[in-house]
Amino acid sequence: MEPMRPVIIAANWKMHTTPADAGRLALALADATAEPDVVRVICPPFVALAAVRDALTGRDVAVGAQNVHHATAGAYTGEIAAAMVAGLATWAIVGHSERRRDAGETDAQIGQKLRRCLEAGLRPILCVGEGLEDRDAGRAEAVVRDQLEGAWASFAAGSPGEVDHDAALATRLVIAYEPVWAIGTGRTARSADAAAIARVIRATLGGWGWPRGVAEAVPVLYGGSVTSATIDPFMAEPDLDGALVGGASLKVEEMAGIVARAALTARARRAAS
Ligand code: PGA
């Protein structure tokens, strides 16, 4: 039988909000999206993590970082290590396409970031996704597979003397499929295409030697111009388990609609299980 995967809606605020206004927005989002069947995560800028954490006390909403560095500590001016985020957040976005593009993040570094997340007790949302040229050339699946395999190779290599985190990764990992051409463009992927990639993702994880059924239980989210008006076809795909939301996650009304729609799927899954 298929494992029952949670439905997750994660908000990626990107470089928006200040410590002064983030707490208020987080609280308004939490109260407008109170659906017990949906796992909610808010990822504000680093400097607003404490304000958001404090604002969400007593609310069932997790806080996530938007990135962590691939090293544990060291001479990396301006960077933030996973261990520094522990206590402020319990999740972290890793390998977002904007960081691959703007900070030149490699799959090898992203694999190390996964390891750092697990060491710090953070639940990683690993982002993968192809550019438009690759989609048009029929290479989307291959690109996503390569991103996963590249990250896995470096994660699995680890460094000598470290604890083996395979089992932790298998149970904590969330993947966000975000086609680059759909992010912030108002143009979404076709839901059937996103579901096909979700199957490729789980098939790839299935080759990593994890116990049977574990890869099938990894949640796969869709991301890219998700709004309350575009989410429905994605939530109707049994292979997709929610969304990573950028622009619309700063708007309370939008998030209320998105989470309400996701809750319909979450309740239907629970009823069917
Ligand atoms: P978007 O961003 O919803 O604004 O397209 C999604 C993301 O980058 O995570």
Side-chain angles (χ1 to χ4, degrees), residues 123-147:
R123 188 157 188 192
I125 302 176
L126 168 60
C127 300
V128 294
E130 81 287 354
L132 191 54
E133 245 178 57
D134 286 318
R135 165 62 59 182
D136 288 345
R139 287 194 298 261
E141 295 188 358
V143 167
V144 168
R145 212 180 290 119
D146 285 352
Q147 289 172 334

Side-chain angles (χ1 to χ4, degrees), residues 2-271:
E2 284 273 300
M4 195 186 89
R5 292 184 295 261
V7 170
I8 301 169
I9 299 293
N12 175 11
W13 286 359
K14 307 194 180 184
M15 200 168 73
H16 296 287
T17 72
T18 66
D21 58 32
R24 259 195 318 273
L25 177 60
L27 197 51
L29 287 178
D31 288 345
T33 60
E35 291 283 356
D37 292 311
V38 177
V39 176
R40 294 168 294 158
V41 187
I42 296 179
C43 305
F46 283 116
V47 293
L49 283 172
V52 169
R53 176 203 57 190
D54 292 348
L56 293 175
T57 305
R59 303 285 192 299
D60 193 18
V61 181
V63 181
Q66 295 176 14
N67 178 41
V68 295
H69 197 265
H70 60 272
T72 51
Y76 299 102
T77 303
E79 295 289 347
I80 309 278
M84 298 171 184
V85 169
L88 295 168
T90 52
W91 293 59
I93 297 171
V94 164
H96 191 281
S97 64
E98 286 154 13
R99 295 204 52 85
R100 294 176 188 260
R101 178 195 68 197
D102 301 335
E105 286 188 6
T106 63
D107 292 325
Q109 289 170 339
I110 289 163
Q112 290 173 285
K113 286 167 189 257
L114 291 176
R115 191 166 275 271
R116 300 290 92 79
C117 281
L118 298 177
E119 289 164 353
L122 301 173
R123 188 157 188 192
I125 302 176
L126 168 60
C127 300
V128 294
E130 81 287 354
L132 191 54
E133 245 178 57
D134 286 318
R135 165 62 59 182
D136 288 345
R139 287 194 298 261
E141 295 188 358
V143 167
V144 168
R145 212 180 290 119
D146 285 352
Q147 289 172 334
L148 291 170
E149 293 292 6
W152 170 246
S154 114
F155 175 89
S159 44
E162 268 188 327
V163 196
D164 184 351
H165 285 289
D166 279 24
L169 184 68
T171 55
R172 309 209 77 190
L173 181 64
V174 174
I175 307 270
Y177 167 58
E178 300 203 307
V180 175
W181 47 272
I183 295 177
T185 58
R187 177 177 171 199
T188 58
R190 292 195 356 223
S191 57
D193 290 343
I197 296 279
R199 290 191 289 276
V200 169
I201 288 169
R202 292 205 181 86
T204 306
L205 307 186
W208 293 357
W210 292 347
R212 222 179 132 68
V214 167
E216 282 303 310
V218 172
V220 177
L221 316 182
Y222 167 76
S225 298
V226 169
T227 66
S228 58
T230 62
I231 192 168
D232 277 350
F234 298 100
M235 291 312 315
E237 293 287 347
D239 292 306
L240 296 171
D241 307 305
L244 179 56
V245 186
S249 75
L250 295 158
K251 299 178 190 147
V252 175
E253 284 300 303
E254 274 299 311
M255 281 300 270
I258 288 168
V259 175
R261 314 214 67 87
L264 299 176
T265 295
R267 282 198 288 274
R269 285 188 185 184
R270 187 157 50 78

